[in-house]
Amino acid sequence: MKQQAPIPPIGRVVATEQKPSTPHQFYFWTARSSPIGIGAIVRVDSDERVIHGVVTDGFAYSDLETPLDAVIGAEGDPAGLIDPTARSEIRLYLAAVLRHHPEEPLQPVPLGAVHLATDADVTVALRMDSFTDGEESTGIPVGVYAGGGLEAPVYLDADFLVGPEAAHLNITGVSGLATKTSAVEFLLTSIFQTFPTQKGSVAALCFNVKGPDLCFLDQAGSLEETDRNIYDRLGLVPEPFAAFQCYAPYKADGVNLNTLRTHPDLEGNTRPLVWGLRQVLDYAEVLLNRDDIDAKAGAFIDFLAERVVGQEFRDDSLRAKPFRVETFADLEEFFRAIFDWMEALNRGGEIWRTHHIATIRKVRNRLGNISTRSKGLVTDDGEVHDLPWGEFTDRAVYTVDVAGLDPLAQDLVFARVVSVLKEQLERRTLGVDHVIVFVDELNKYAPSDGPETYVRKMLLDLSERGRYLGLVLFSAQQFRSQVHRRVVGNAGTALFGRMDNDELTMGGYSTLSAAIKAKLATLPKGELMIRHPHFTQPIFVRFPRPAVLTGRDGVQRFPPSPDLPFPDAVARVLRGMDSTLSTEEIRDLVAGRRAEDVRRSLHATQRSRPDDPMAYFRACLGRAVVAESRDMRRGIPGVRSAPDPYA
Amino acid sequence: MSSVPRTRPHVHHLAPLRRALSSCGLVPSSMPSAGGLGRADDAAVRPASLVGDAVLSSFPCGPPVGCPEALGFLDGIQRHQIVAYDGPSPLVLGWVAAGVLLRTGRELKPTMAGTAQLAIGRETVLAKAADALHGFEVLPLEPPDDLHPAHDLDVARGMVDRRRAQLEEEIGQRFRATSSAWLLIDGSLSHSTAWSQDPRMLGIAKSHAILPFDGRALTTYLQLPEGCRTSLFRPATRGGRETFSWGLRLREWMGKDPFHGLVRIEAAPTEETRRRASEYSQWILAERSPLSAPDVRWDRQLYGMRAVERYLGAILGE
């Protein structure tokens, strides 16, 4: 059998009084032509122990004592004769220890030969052997470590990524380099394909906050050979998400969806997201700032939520017929009744059931404002289209497109969706065991400074308690330093793409060497630095492009349908359910009908998805009531009275 | 009553005085370069005989041009230390090393090296220390009759010096046996018959303890302009092995001292040497860079030689 020649070392540990080896770092020198670079993983062999380390800094020395010597040597002319002899120069590297073997007693790194890491070394150095070996491996491929011609797979531990040991992932990087979103899309692919069976089911819910970034996750994107090689190396199949649904609110007209995913070919899994009063009232705190919600207003809102909305409410002093408040329109009618009652009382009628009229007016104004500012998301008529609560499916991605929404409405969506996820995961009624929630622009929703908002509190709660429930936050932002410390601090795994230089000067990066920072500031597309509980030092990896269509390509391949006039938009929605329907017939049907009636019928049809949409729609719409105009009769003239004798 | 001088003496502000001396026909200068004058004990003038020219002249060599072929640098180092006394007699340990770095392309690579460690002392001292001197070449001291330790040390130092020269010669011969590359030797070629006849060796003498001229010729020799060489001459050597030699100014010396940047080149006494002396000088001029600082002899030390010394120093564990 042919024996393989031992791989020669590429360097040797050097320890001096000025630069000694310690248990956590060591220096080694290499030849000038060595392939070692910042982030390279190396192995030190000595008689008594093996140490793995990662290169964190590099130095080059020549035998010059001062720059002046170089000037004199060149006779002051930088363009002068090239030296016949290259000046002596050495390469010295500083490496941070990743792992000692044996681990005890922990001792300084001995003098020894330094080798480039092999696949096996990378596994040991990053302690991946503890979770990738055996039948119940919890390894999730995150990319390949590339160094010295080696491409070794790097895995994250699912127990530390999705819980319960640790959880959450945060990714930082400058915008426009297709790193943050791409990395998350790739990682979701990886999780869906390799999530350990014994850990149960997993789904993802992505908030699309800008452009069409996350709207085409079910469509295949183009990949290069290098990307396919990485997928191969990681044992993954490059394919888009098979189970994908996109939810988007309507525009103000209530029929055109407020998303860039409106191409007819994609209608099958593009759904409206419309909420009514009940869904909004529970999260009124999100929509009303501290100045709005004082104790009195809060008490009145609670009264409405608990006693009035969604049930029969009787108050004979207001009117004999009980109230049934299901919609904003019903709520307005209810408020009107209160005000009428107070006005009827004239003076002294300022209190209704312990609530002052000013408080009632304030709450009415603020709640009324919600349906105006969030038109399209919040409906007056009570027809609701919601996420498939209780029916989430394993390995499915749900995108909630809030890019076109008012910031206030975005907050409402975040708050309600995450709260319901939490409730249902707690009760184990969601349909899956784990949900990964992806939120981009985290610095906007959980800023490190500024007022305490409901969304920030909710994200804090999610980051601190989510892992026990199976609710995992994957978040991204440009500037990690501008995000609340507890939100990023609770992320067990942190990814860093190319970083802004100013950001790198912030205190949170002080543990990184200048060389690591320099590498981060110039990191190419498709490379990340990873911090993970099993890795004692940050590691650089390369990941492939996601196998899904990017937002930009998606919009080119599936151009959004133009907004249509109301009757045509209604026809398009119905034809989406049954392409045999005639646009003309639908136009004729809705002609002259009130828009609110048409919308209500359309939403009911969409929600029910009947076999015969047209019949259902027609039934919901009811018969048209033809307006009749009648001539006003002349009234009976009054009795002409005699002149007032007292006038 | 003492009078106050009009001008206060100042040891550092000599520029005005130097300018004044220059107008008197003198050449402004400063202290000699380190090691340029060699050891005072050896200082002498041994007139050389000119080759070809009737009068010692200077010639511009032309621009520096790197040697177009592989070029070796041979040098040696030596260290010594007193480690014990037996009465007044010291036991001196010496370490010598010699080696060749060969330049191909622009990279210097160690090609061969040798070391020796010496134990030097009077017979009685060496006898007593015999058990502790395994691995050392034991060299009995033959000092003057008096027992002054300084004399013993001086003789021991000379013995280390000779052993180093011997090792250099051995290494040079070994190198020549395996390579025909040009070889620059640190010092004179006249110590070795083989070297003095080798057509592809050049000796670079940085020390000027022995001056080859006196009178007007010496002035010409010492005031050689930068980038110029002298006429060829045959140095008067104690060993009697003939070489051709010439002075070469590597660096501007005005304002420094006459030995600054001055080296003496030796080559085999052949017609080819006469013909190519300027070309060889151009090669050596090119070796001024990289500067061999922080070596104190940086004005004359070639970078390749310094690299050999550092290499040998590392071998000796410095």
Side-chain angles (χ1 to χ4, degrees):
Chain A
M1 188 177 149
K2 194 177 173 184
Q3 203 166 9
Q4 216 170 15
I7 301 168
I10 48 94
R12 293 206 170 263
V13 175
V14 58
T16 65
E17 203 168 347
Q18 296 292 320
K19 293 183 171 171
S21 291
T22 67
H24 64 273
Q25 67 174 34
F26 60 94
Y27 292 87
F28 66 96
W29 65 268
T30 69
R32 271 193 295 184
S33 56
S34 158
I36 284 288
I38 301 301
I41 297 177
V42 294
R43 184 188 75 243
V44 178
D45 291 335
S46 74
D47 291 341
E48 63 270 29
R49 53 180 47 218
V50 175
I51 291 97
H52 289 94
V54 58
V55 175
T56 57
D57 216 340
F59 310 89
Y61 292 109
S62 77
D63 51 5
L64 273 174
E65 208 161 56
T66 75
L68 188 62
D69 293 342
V71 178
I72 295 169
E75 298 178 356
D77 181 8
L81 194 71
I82 295 172
D83 298 340
T85 305
R87 187 175 280 285
S88 293
E89 183 187 346
I90 68 150
R91 293 276 190 273
L92 187 69
Y93 291 97
L94 173 63
V97 171
L98 288 165
R99 194 172 186 183
H100 288 264
H101 184 80
E103 299 197 280
E104 292 294 342
L106 187 61
Q107 292 181 343
V109 177
L111 301 181
V114 179
H115 292 82
L116 274 173
T118 61
D119 270 19
D121 287 322
V122 173
T123 302
V124 173
L126 302 182
R127 297 166 194 273
M128 297 188 299
D129 49 345
S130 62
F131 60 89
T132 56
D133 289 349
E135 287 184 1
E136 296 205 335
S137 161
T138 52
I140 305 283
V142 68
V144 291
Y145 156 77
L150 177 77
E151 281 195 342
V154 175
Y155 299 90
L156 303 178
D157 186 349
D159 284 343
F160 287 77
L161 181 66
V162 185
E165 304 297 341
H168 314 305
L169 174 140
N170 180 263
I171 179 166
T172 306
V174 295
S175 288
L177 282 174
T179 297
K180 297 195 295 284
T181 308
S182 297
V184 169
E185 288 169 351
F186 162 70
L187 197 54
L188 287 178
T189 300
S190 179
I191 291 170
F192 280 18
Q193 292 186 20
T194 60
F195 195 65
T197 318
Q198 70 273 15
K199 286 183 71 69
S201 51
V202 61
L205 190 145
C206 305
F207 289 106
N208 183 60
V209 295
K210 58 179 192 294
D213 273 1
L214 298 162
C215 290
F216 302 99
L217 302 184
D218 55 338
Q219 301 299 320
S222 59
L223 295 176
E224 292 180 359
E225 196 56 36
T226 49
D227 299 314
R228 293 184 185 283
N229 291 340
I230 298 178
Y231 276 101
D232 277 353
R233 193 77 181 85
L234 298 175
L236 299 174
V237 182
E239 57 187 14
F241 296 97
F244 173 76
Q245 290 176 25
C246 181
Y247 288 83
Y250 284 115
K251 290 183 177 171
D253 62 10
V255 285
N256 286 296
L257 282 179
N258 195 354
T259 176
L260 292 170
R261 187 188 160 97
T262 51
H263 192 276
D265 292 352
L266 306 177
E267 279 178 355
N269 53 355
T270 308
R271 309 270 163 82
L273 183 72
V274 181
W275 293 338
L277 176 63
R278 178 77 260 176
Q279 287 73 31
V280 172
L281 203 61
D282 290 343
Y283 303 94
E285 196 188 333
V286 179
L287 305 164
L288 309 174
N289 62 38
R290 272 189 185 283
D291 297 333
D292 290 325
I293 292 279
D294 51 21
K296 294 176 206 161
F300 185 59
I301 290 171
D302 288 345
F303 171 78
L304 291 175
E306 288 171 18
R307 303 279 305 279
V308 179
V309 176
Q311 57 193 287
E312 201 165 87
F313 177 74
R314 183 178 290 276
D315 186 335
D316 294 336
S317 62
L318 296 183
R319 74 177 192 197
K321 186 182 163 194
F323 291 94
R324 182 83 196 178
V325 177
E326 299 284 359
T327 68
F328 277 94
D330 299 337
L331 185 66
E332 178 57 25
E333 190 183 329
F334 174 70
F335 279 123
R336 193 65 260 162
I338 295 174
F339 297 141
D340 287 348
W341 176 78
M342 287 181 165
E343 279 171 19
L345 287 182
N346 283 328
R347 286 177 184 277
E350 292 181 343
I351 304 291
W352 179 75
R353 294 201 173 201
T354 73
H355 301 290
H356 194 274
I357 187 169
T359 303
I360 298 171
R361 281 193 189 282
K362 184 181 192 178
V363 169
R364 177 214 181 195
N365 288 343
R366 300 300 189 272
L367 291 178
N369 194 28
I370 290 169
S371 66
T372 308
R373 289 185 69 178
S374 309
K375 210 168 180 63
L377 171 69
V378 176
T379 172
D380 283 337
D381 57 20
E383 289 297 338
V384 172
H385 293 272
D386 213 344
L387 289 163
W389 301 120
E391 295 166 8
F392 272 47
T393 54
D394 192 19
R395 268 73 170 175
V397 180
Y398 305 89
T399 287
V400 179
D401 189 354
V402 292
L405 280 183
D406 175 275
L408 189 80
Q410 286 188 355
D411 286 357
L412 173 64
V413 174
F414 282 130
R416 179 163 183 274
V417 168
V418 173
S419 299
V420 178
L421 281 175
K422 209 163 65 176
E423 283 168 23
Q424 299 210 348
L425 280 168
E426 220 157 16
R427 295 200 303 263
R428 297 283 155 203
T429 56
L430 184 62
V432 291
D433 301 311
H434 303 85
V435 176
I436 294 165
V437 174
F438 175 49
V439 180
D440 201 355
E441 308 293 343
L442 193 64
N443 45 328
K444 186 173 154 192
Y445 303 108
S448 55
D449 47 19
E452 188 72 24
T453 63
Y454 187 92
V455 171
R456 186 165 78 172
K457 278 194 289 186
M458 182 202 70
L459 287 169
L460 267 171
D461 185 54
L462 168 57
S463 65
E464 287 169 348
R465 291 184 55 243
R467 67 189 168 107
Y468 301 111
L469 307 172
L471 187 55
V472 182
L473 177 66
F474 279 19
S475 52
Q477 69 283 318
Q478 267 206 73
F479 305 113
R480 187 181 163 94
S481 63
Q482 292 177 9
V483 177
H484 198 289
R485 285 170 64 100
R486 277 159 56 202
V487 175
V488 289
N490 277 306
T493 303
L495 308 182
F496 301 83
R498 186 186 294 183
M499 303 284 289
D500 183 85
N501 268 318
D502 290 344
E503 172 70 2
L504 285 168
T505 61
M506 306 305 285
Y509 305 93
S510 60
T511 54
L512 301 178
S513 73
I516 296 276
K517 288 180 186 175
K519 180 158 178 161
L520 277 175
T522 55
L523 211 56
K525 272 184 183 180
E527 282 196 33
L528 290 169
M529 188 181 82
I530 300 181
R531 275 181 172 162
H532 186 62
H534 285 291
F535 309 162
T536 51
Q537 297 292 333
I539 297 299
F540 287 92
V541 300
R542 191 177 295 162
F543 68 96
R545 288 178 206 204
V548 299
L549 207 53
T550 64
R552 189 180 302 169
D553 292 345
V555 169
Q556 278 181 356
R557 199 189 295 175
F558 300 103
S561 304
D563 285 356
L564 298 175
F566 186 74
D568 291 355
V570 174
R572 185 174 65 189
V573 175
L574 291 172
R575 280 172 52 79
M577 289 183 261
D578 181 358
S579 57
T580 61
L581 297 180
S582 152
T583 303
E584 286 303 319
E585 187 186 356
I586 298 167
R587 265 194 210 139
D588 292 344
L589 184 62
V590 302
R593 299 300 190 101
R594 290 197 316 159
E596 305 92 87
D597 296 338
V598 174
R599 266 197 295 269
R600 189 185 304 115
S601 305
L602 183 67
H603 294 169
T605 311
Q606 276 181 296
R607 197 176 59 247
S608 302
R609 300 248 156 203
D611 292 338
D612 184 350
M614 190 63 180
Y616 193 91
F617 177 66
R618 184 177 282 120
C620 291
L621 206 52
R623 288 181 54 194
V625 179
V626 181
E628 292 179 8
S629 59
R630 300 183 62 182
D631 293 335
M632 291 293 290
R633 281 191 211 161
R634 284 189 65 183
I636 301 167
V639 179
R640 186 171 297 203
S641 58
D644 186 350
Y646 303 100
Chain B
M1 183 180 158
S2 64
S3 61
V4 177
R6 283 185 187 174
T7 54
R8 292 173 63 193
H10 199 298
V11 74
H12 294 304
H13 295 168
L14 299 177
L17 181 60
R18 283 205 172 97
R19 272 197 291 275
L21 293 172
S22 178
S23 64
C24 299
L26 276 64
V27 178
S29 187
S30 60
M31 289 295 284
S33 305
L37 288 174
R39 288 165 61 180
D41 293 352
D42 299 335
V45 173
R46 291 199 198 129
S49 55
L50 290 170
V51 178
D53 295 339
V55 179
L56 186 76
S57 308
S58 69
F59 307 94
C61 302
V65 176
C67 175
E69 300 174 41
L71 181 62
F73 296 85
L74 189 157
D75 202 353
I77 62 169
Q78 62 193 61
R79 307 286 183 263
H80 67 274
Q81 193 172 337
I82 297 174
V83 290
Y85 277 95
D86 178 26
S89 305
L91 174 64
V92 178
L93 295 188
W95 295 268
V96 295
V100 175
L101 296 190
L102 184 64
R103 184 176 73 204
T104 47
R106 296 180 64 227
E107 298 291 329
L108 286 171
K109 292 269 171 58
T111 305
M112 59 181 56
T115 59
Q117 43 186 0
L118 320 171
I120 305 167
R122 290 172 185 262
E123 297 277 8
T124 52
V125 178
L126 294 174
K128 281 186 180 174
D131 290 346
L133 296 176
H134 291 298
F136 283 83
E137 283 181 33
V138 176
L139 302 178
L141 198 62
E142 294 173 0
D145 289 339
D146 67 77
L147 285 174
H148 197 295
H151 291 158
D152 283 15
L153 184 60
D154 201 35
V155 174
R157 187 189 296 129
M159 292 171 73
V160 173
D161 200 26
R162 283 194 293 281
R163 182 68 183 90
R164 191 257 308 147
Q166 185 191 352
L167 185 61
E168 283 181 10
E169 197 174 339
E170 287 168 21
I171 294 293
Q173 282 170 1
R174 277 170 50 198
F175 176 78
R176 185 49 83 220
T178 58
S179 169
S180 60
W182 277 94
L183 189 61
L184 298 188
I185 310 279
D186 185 53
S188 172
L189 302 182
S190 63
H191 304 304
S192 159
T193 307
W195 287 6
S196 63
Q197 293 171 358
D198 192 320
R200 291 172 74 82
M201 275 192 188
L202 296 174
I204 318 288
K206 303 188 295 292
S207 165
H208 300 281
I210 310 290
L211 288 172
F213 302 103
D214 55 9
R216 196 173 193 77
L218 182 58
T219 303
T220 303
Y221 186 75
L222 294 181
Q223 296 192 354
L224 195 60
E226 180 191 7
C228 292
R229 70 169 179 87
T230 65
S231 313
L232 265 60
F233 55 87
R234 290 185 191 84
T237 59
R238 275 184 279 202
R241 297 180 189 94
E242 186 186 8
T243 58
F244 281 178
S245 184
W246 65 95
L248 175 66
R249 180 74 70 181
L250 298 181
R251 299 183 190 280
E252 177 58 58
W253 66 280
M254 292 286 261
K256 299 185 177 71
D257 82 87
F259 298 100
H260 182 87
L262 183 66
V263 292
R264 187 170 60 79
I265 312 299
E266 284 189 8
T270 62
E271 183 54 35
E272 187 175 11
T273 300
R274 289 182 65 172
R275 195 162 40 80
R276 299 180 67 183
S278 288
E279 184 188 354
Y280 298 161
S281 299
Q282 287 178 291
W283 294 357
I284 293 164
L285 282 168
E287 298 299 328
R288 295 180 301 185
S289 184
L291 198 70
S292 57
D295 192 312
V296 292
R297 303 159 298 171
W298 62 269
D299 59 310
R300 286 153 290 136
Q301 176 73 300
L302 305 188
Y303 185 80
M305 295 298 182
R306 174 171 157 73
V308 177
E309 289 184 6
R310 285 175 65 97
Y311 168 62
L312 297 175
I315 288 179
L316 290 187
E318 290 184 335

